[in-house]
Amino acid sequence: MPLDTKILSQAATEARGLAMDAVQAAASGHLGLPLGCAEIGAVLFGHALSYFPEDPGWINRDRFVLSAGHGSMFLYSWLHLAGYDLPIGEIKRFRQLHSKTPGHPEFGETPGVEATTGPLGQGVGNAVGMAVASKMAEARFNTKEHAIFDHKIVCLAGDGCLQEGVASEAAAFGGHQKLDNLILIYDSNDVTLDAMAKMSQSEDTAERFRAYGYDVHIVNGQDLEGFFATFEAAKYATTGKPQFIVARTLIGKGIPEVAGTQKAHGEGGVKYVDADRKTLGLPDEKFYVSKEVYEYFAGHRQVLKQRYLDWQEKYSGWKNANPDLAALLDRGVHREIPPDLVSKIPAFPKDSKIATRKAGSDVLQPIAEALPLVIGGSADLYGSTLNYIQAEKDFNPENRSGRNIRFGIREHGMCAILNGIAYHGIFVPSGATFLVFADYCRPSIRLASLARLPVVYIFTHDSVGVGEDGPTHQPVETVSGLRVIPHLDVIRPGDPEETAGAFAAAFSRTDGPTLIALTRQAIPLQNEVPVEVRREGVRKGAYVAHKETAKLEVIILATGSELQHALNAAKQLGDGVRVVSVPCTERFWRQDEGYRDEVLPPSCRKRVAIEAGVTALWYQFVGLDGKVVGIDRFGMSAPGGKVMTELGMTAESVIQAVKSLTA
Ligand SMILES: Cc1ncc(C[n+]2csc(CCOP(=O)(O)OP(=O)(O)O)c2C)c(N)n1
């Protein structure tokens, strides 16, 4: 279909007006991108993208990710014009309490917003992840007769995104993986926030992406026809490479007083908009959209609807011919998990003494079999993290059905990509590295938590028990540092059966991410506690692992590899001692008060906690009267067992702490 440049140009002007009025009304926000990229928005939402506002979750829609999330008014204007459930009233309430137009795009808050963006660069990683998921979906669900998946992933990123390391990691991975369904548009406007971009960058970005393995196009982003032609060339390219479009734009176009300078980036241009709207041809009426533009989009929706209905027909044919595949896809889309997942994991032999990372490897296999949409990956550490799905192969350009992703040494990129796979809405992603490198992942983990994505992190080498690699590789503050992220479950299982419970809990969770922290070193099975109690105890976050045999006097709390010391101490201390295993504090806080009080009776205030990590967080459980045996310093380079003993991670330390309370 030919491009209607006249009406799309008018739509671009009116979208500029919406951004101006919204940012002016909110007295905050970012005008530069919505104004500079208005023509790009008009081409994408007014013509080039496949989507259907009445069914924003349509699985074969093109995904559009605004990585430069500060330009949120760009997205909101176009989603409004496109006909998503985002009425003009919401545009007027830009950045206000409980509006559908938050400061930066938030997944789940606004129909049509595909990813929570704002921390620059993350959206590029998300888009790469979506492109991975979409390739997987094509490989696993399309048949010769019915290609139900053929959508593109389109991402708009600015200088800021492309300066960020996470975008470089993800983009390089995307090039290596030949993700030819990815179209990355670079809003190249020579401006960042503080200054002209040349003050902080002098690389040739186009050449950089060529080197990553992208086809590179350069176009004037203000030229509707030129941009459309370039976009189409990228969309239909047959080179097998991802596409990088350098769109040269004028930041803040429409406010000549600031356009092309850093003053245009934020709300600096607001004071000129009343005068400049006239020059643009906009009436005095604020939040103005002409009848013709609304009518154009209403007409365009009919075109999109036909495309959607054609697809539904194709889908029905596919579904009839492939009922099993259709049922699987349905389970993925609706995030259905068998309630008896944990029972698919065989019990460990009672005499085994293995590291929980090894236990994790063992339990991952039946989980991956029970949940065919689970995807795994490791940042070049499969040999240590042991999370390879053994019945499956690598994901790569030759095998898009592979369920194991080799991310390379790109932890941050990996986690942004995992988020993208989750956003895509079919697969359940998991990824692995050493726990100490969670700091390299944290911005993406935080966003997974904010967006409530069901991502599973399998992070191993969870304490100073790592040993010889020394303090650089020995987490001490990491586990507690992760526990403070809202909506993130951190599970540190205390033996292989708790590990089984941890994996079942993590892969059953649909409303947020879970991080499982596993040991490098072998630890014993706690056979004193029945298998079901340990597994179910993890689901609840904490449970009584050893019950007192006389009047309750002391509670010892423990997690991970320190559970063994707590149980040993209890044996030596005698009758009035209870041990509570606390594999996941977040899950425990979600239990009702009755259960929490049953496990930790408030009347018992003599409490000792032990964990091979910083102590602060444990005071919420032991209170002012309690003691914490922990490690408030960095570790040391020596064999793991020696380091543990040297730093007091022993039953003896627990006994002494208890005695100091009961003396
Ligand atoms: C990780 C991160 N660091 C810093 C910021 C603050 N910030 C928002 S936009 C921006 C400049 C972005 O420049 P560019 O992508 O060129 O955007 P433009 O000025 O073209 O709108 C900065 C530093 C952020 N949002 N995320």
Side-chain angles (χ1 to χ4, degrees):
M1 236 189 33
L3 193 74
D4 188 337
T5 49
K6 185 161 173 285
I7 192 74
L8 288 178
S9 169
Q10 188 178 337
T13 302
E14 292 175 14
R16 283 193 171 95
L18 291 181
M20 288 170 165
D21 298 341
V23 172
Q24 189 181 46
S28 83
H30 298 78
L31 274 176
L33 183 147
L35 268 56
C37 293
E39 280 76 18
I40 294 175
V43 169
L44 294 178
F45 286 90
H47 196 93
L49 292 177
S50 280
Y51 59 91
F52 186 52
E54 282 172 45
D55 182 3
W58 173 34
I59 52 179
N60 194 39
R61 69 193 182 280
D62 289 335
R63 272 44 167 200
F64 174 79
V65 180
L66 180 68
S67 187
H70 58 279
S72 53
M73 262 315 300
F74 168 92
L75 194 47
Y76 300 147
S77 298
W78 292 111
L79 292 178
H80 167 70
L81 293 175
Y84 281 87
D85 181 16
L86 190 64
I88 195 77
E90 293 293 335
I91 305 289
K92 291 180 181 167
R93 297 202 313 121
F94 177 51
R95 295 191 153 211
Q96 302 311 304
L97 193 64
H98 303 315
S99 75
K100 283 186 185 177
T101 46
H104 291 80
E106 290 179 41
F107 181 70
E109 295 293 327
T110 317
V113 166
E114 302 281 3
T116 297
T117 55
L120 297 169
Q122 295 290 336
V124 174
N126 300 158
V128 170
M130 291 179 192
V132 167
S134 144
K135 283 287 173 197
M136 283 178 175
E138 287 173 14
R140 293 184 56 183
F141 295 106
N142 284 356
T143 60
K144 273 205 187 79
E145 293 72 31
H146 304 98
I148 58 161
F149 287 114
D150 62 356
H151 55 273
K152 298 283 176 193
I153 314 298
V154 181
C155 176
L156 180 59
D159 294 291
C161 289
L162 297 189
Q163 285 188 359
E164 289 289 355
V166 63
S168 307
E169 292 178 24
F173 173 88
H176 174 74
Q177 285 283 354
K178 300 191 168 42
L179 298 173
D180 59 1
N181 52 352
L182 173 68
I183 303 175
L184 186 51
I185 303 167
Y186 167 30
D187 171 28
S188 170
N189 59 20
D190 298 333
V191 171
T192 60
L193 187 155
D194 265 350
M196 297 306 285
K198 69 177 178 209
M199 304 295 280
S200 60
Q201 75 185 20
S202 45
E203 73 201 30
D204 184 334
T205 310
E207 279 308 310
R208 177 153 74 94
F209 275 78
R210 251 183 218 116
Y212 286 154
Y214 288 61
D215 283 334
V216 174
H217 315 255
I218 299 175
V219 65
N220 173 359
Q222 251 75 67
D223 170 7
L224 281 165
E225 277 176 352
F227 179 77
F228 176 58
T230 304
F231 186 83
E232 291 289 282
K235 184 169 170 182
Y236 296 107
T238 53
T239 54
K241 295 179 178 186
Q243 305 292 308
F244 187 67
I245 300 178
V246 183
R248 299 282 303 147
T249 65
L250 180 69
I251 189 169
K253 186 172 191 295
I255 309 182
E257 294 85 347
V258 296
T261 75
Q262 69 269 22
K263 290 198 190 106
H265 166 86
E267 73 249 28
V270 159
K271 52 181 172 287
Y272 308 107
V273 301
D274 285 342
D276 290 340
R277 59 190 305 120
K278 288 193 184 58
T279 325
L280 281 173
L282 288 168
D284 287 339
E285 181 191 339
K286 296 280 159 99
F287 298 99
Y288 170 80
V289 179
S290 65
K291 206 164 127 274
E292 305 84 76
V293 165
Y294 275 139
E295 275 171 8
Y296 171 80
F297 274 94
H300 185 55
R301 273 199 298 284
Q302 292 310 309
V303 176
L304 293 172
K305 183 170 192 171
Q306 196 49 54
R307 208 178 286 170
Y308 175 79
L309 293 175
D310 291 348
W311 181 88
Q312 289 293 354
E313 209 178 302
K314 191 195 286 184
Y315 174 81
S316 295
W318 171 83
K319 188 174 175 174
N320 288 337
N322 308 281
D324 292 348
L325 271 185
L328 178 64
L329 179 57
D330 226 42
R331 288 204 296 279
V333 171
H334 295 108
R335 304 229 180 270
E336 277 167 29
I337 310 285
D340 59 343
L341 186 61
V342 73
S343 67
K344 317 255 186 220
I345 307 166
F348 285 88
K350 282 197 174 342
D351 59 349
S352 59
K353 187 175 183 208
I354 55 174
T356 52
R357 64 177 166 137
K358 172 68 175 80
S361 175
D362 293 348
V363 304
L364 178 63
Q365 308 313 321
I367 288 209
E369 194 185 333
L371 302 177
L373 300 176
V374 162
I375 303 303
S378 189
D380 198 46
L381 284 173
Y382 271 127
S384 300
T385 55
L386 306 180
N387 64 316
Y388 201 88
I389 301 174
Q390 286 152 14
E392 306 286 340
K393 301 210 162 53
D394 285 1
F395 170 84
N396 58 38
E398 288 73 47
N399 180 27
R400 299 301 195 188
S401 299
R403 289 170 64 189
N404 296 289
I405 305 179
R406 294 185 184 276
F407 286 103
I409 309 93
R410 302 185 181 103
E411 296 82 6
H412 197 177
M414 168 174 79
C415 289
I417 291 168
L418 295 177
N419 288 357
I421 296 174
Y423 281 130
H424 186 262
I426 295 171
F427 299 99
V428 180
S430 63
T433 182
F434 288 153
L435 179 67
V436 80
F437 303 136
D439 290 333
Y440 276 45
C441 305
R442 192 174 178 102
S444 303
I445 296 179
R446 182 176 189 274
L447 285 172
S449 306
L450 175 58
R452 291 187 165 274
L453 302 177
V455 177
V456 178
Y457 309 101
I458 301 167
F459 287 5
T460 66
H461 298 57
D462 71 337
S463 72
V464 297
V466 164
E468 291 85 344
D469 276 337
T472 54
H473 285 51
Q474 296 170 344
V476 283
E477 80 293 10
T478 320
V479 175
S480 276
L482 289 160
R483 286 189 183 122
V484 298
I485 300 179
H487 305 165
L488 174 68
D489 283 359
V490 178
I491 310 183
R492 188 165 176 259
D495 87 339
E497 291 303 347
E498 281 198 8
T499 307
F503 273 68
F507 283 102
S508 299
R509 188 172 181 216
T510 55
D511 64 353
T514 303
L515 186 145
I516 308 174
L518 301 171
T519 66
R520 175 196 177 215
Q521 75 278 20
I523 56 174
L525 274 156
Q526 299 305 338
N527 293 316
E528 181 195 333
V529 192
V531 169
E532 313 75 55
V533 173
R534 275 174 279 169
R535 292 181 174 195
E536 174 64 7
V538 177
R539 196 181 66 75
K540 291 191 166 162
Y543 66 98
V544 179
H546 169 84
K547 194 161 165 44
E548 66 282 1
T549 50
K551 183 171 176 298
L552 177 63
E553 265 188 81
V554 176
I555 301 173
I556 306 172
L557 300 97
T559 162
S561 48
E562 290 68 68
L563 176 61
Q564 56 184 319
H565 303 316
L567 288 165
N568 284 341
K571 276 194 198 108
Q572 298 177 51
L573 283 163
D575 305 340
V577 178
R578 168 184 294 201
V579 175
V580 172
S581 176
V582 192
C584 180
T585 57
E586 300 81 8
R587 281 184 169 267
F588 185 59
W589 284 122
R590 290 205 293 274
Q591 303 307 313
D592 60 46
E593 204 177 339
Y595 179 77
R596 295 202 311 262
D597 289 353
E598 195 184 305
V599 174
L600 295 176
S603 57
C604 178
R605 298 179 56 150
K606 288 182 181 149
R607 301 177 179 195
V608 170
I610 176 167
E611 181 170 54
V614 294
T615 55
L617 203 126
W618 287 101
Y619 286 98
Q620 67 185 316
F621 294 107
V622 302
L624 294 175
D625 301 336
K627 285 250 154 99
V628 183
V629 178
I631 304 176
D632 286 311
R633 51 157 288 173
F634 288 113
M636 33 179 63
S637 176
K642 288 247 160 46
V643 181
M644 282 285 200
T645 311
E646 182 73 17
L647 296 177
M649 293 301 107
T650 59
E652 192 49 40
S653 302
V654 176
I655 291 168
Q656 272 174 16
V658 169
K659 285 189 173 159
S660 74
L661 293 182
T662 51

